Amino acid sequence: MLTLFIMTVLPVYAENPEQPADFGEAEAVFDEASSDVEEIGAEKGMSLSDIKQKFNLKLYLDFMYEESLGDADYPPLRETDEPSFGTNHTYLMLQASPTDKLRVGFDIQFDYFYEIEYFPVPTVSFKAGKIFLPFGDFQYHPIYGGKVYSLENDLFPNWLTDYGVAFGHRLLDTDHVSLRYDLFVSNGFQDYSGDVLNMNTIGYEGDNNSEKAFGGRVKTVWLGRYNMTASGMFDHWSDDGQATLALWALDFSTNGGLADLPVLNHVDLKLGYLVKQVETGNAANSEIGEYDGFGSHIELSTKPADWLKIAFRMGEVDPNENLRDRMDQRNYNMHCIFYPEAYLEIWAMYQRNQEKYVDEIDNDYLAVKVVLNY
């Protein structure tokens, strides 16, 4: 019903944005659309429940209160040293499956991604569009280095999406072990560190050279619990195609506890390590030369009750090993998540970003946020 409301009522309102919302009219449109869908489904031998199963809506909204505690001028998510209300993440995604072999997904709010995926057989997939590149072991935002970064960062993209194509194959799937590999080709990066890693601006005007980025990921799951992932990506990013960038990552995580033993069966582990290798070649910023960067993190979490999760994470990040600046950090994060209702989360979080070399300033802050995760 929610999907039908979005697809029918919101376009009507969008045509008349200056008019106040008439929810009586909206309800009538909604009921009429539902009736039409039921009639169409009946003609094809499908119930309304069958049709709704072909749609999947992903909604994430957060509202937070944040206060700086440390020596730095302001918390990392808000450019002020005063207590502040705000939001960190908002996204709305829709996925539709017209047939068992075809799936379409897109981001409704920001156009960060939109992709078409085709399954000729259940174990093989082809994907095209502005796709989520198969890299790493995370859903949307990476935490290499121990924290979620802003859109403009020089370690790893906040959203790893780009115009391209991908191929996936589930090679093995048994009760004890599964193995899947993915390969992709995309436009890739177009500038040196900083913009080079901000994929949100990439691709709208096409690639800046004839060389394409390519890479892949191999993921295996053992005993339904232990997840191991290896990823890599390589690209020529300068106008002349001489400068290169490579990303390599290893990830490990558990799902359902470290082992079937008391206490350990309630503790999960996440590990991640990313290496970035940059060669500037003859690019305009070639005076920077060749350099490597890295980010690593470890996270332990436990869920002592259905309504509570406790997690501690620490990480280290150095985007450019040739430089010593404020971006070289040790990051610590501790948070408790309460689940009072289905899809509703209440977070209490403490984060500390400690500079490793410059002034040794600690950026501490507290945050409380309410999350709708549907």
Side-chain angles (χ1 to χ4, degrees), residues 291-313:
Y291 66 92
D292 294 346
F294 77 92
S296 61
H297 67 269
I298 177 173
E299 178 178 300
L300 288 171
S301 63
T302 181
K303 199 169 183 181
D306 292 339
W307 53 270
L308 175 65
K309 178 180 178 180
I310 303 172
F312 174 78
R313 180 173 67 237

Side-chain angles (χ1 to χ4, degrees), residues 190-316:
Q190 297 184 16
D191 198 354
Y192 82 110
S193 67
D195 288 341
V196 66
L197 292 174
N198 183 6
M199 299 293 284
N200 300 306
T201 62
I202 300 304
Y204 289 104
E205 299 178 358
D207 203 350
N208 65 344
N209 61 70
S210 60
E211 302 286 346
K212 301 303 173 191
F214 60 89
R217 175 180 65 189
V218 177
K219 182 174 182 177
T220 180
V221 181
W222 294 81
L223 305 177
R225 171 178 293 171
Y226 306 108
N227 308 282
M228 290 168 280
T229 305
S231 311
M233 180 178 181
F234 181 83
D235 183 35
H236 290 85
W237 54 263
S238 62
D239 293 337
D240 59 10
Q242 298 299 311
T244 63
L245 182 143
L247 296 169
W248 312 97
L250 292 174
D251 294 89
F252 173 83
S253 64
T254 62
N255 182 26
L258 293 172
D260 285 327
L261 296 172
V263 180
L264 293 181
N265 60 352
H266 292 290
V267 177
D268 278 314
L269 171 69
K270 286 184 180 180
L271 300 170
Y273 188 81
L274 171 78
V275 175
K276 177 185 70 173
Q277 298 173 311
V278 178
E279 295 185 10
T280 56
N282 298 319
N285 295 284
S286 59
E287 67 273 7
I288 295 178
E290 302 178 7
Y291 66 92
D292 294 346
F294 77 92
S296 61
H297 67 269
I298 177 173
E299 178 178 300
L300 288 171
S301 63
T302 181
K303 199 169 183 181
D306 292 339
W307 53 270
L308 175 65
K309 178 180 178 180
I310 303 172
F312 174 78
R313 180 173 67 237
M314 62 178 297
E316 193 164 312

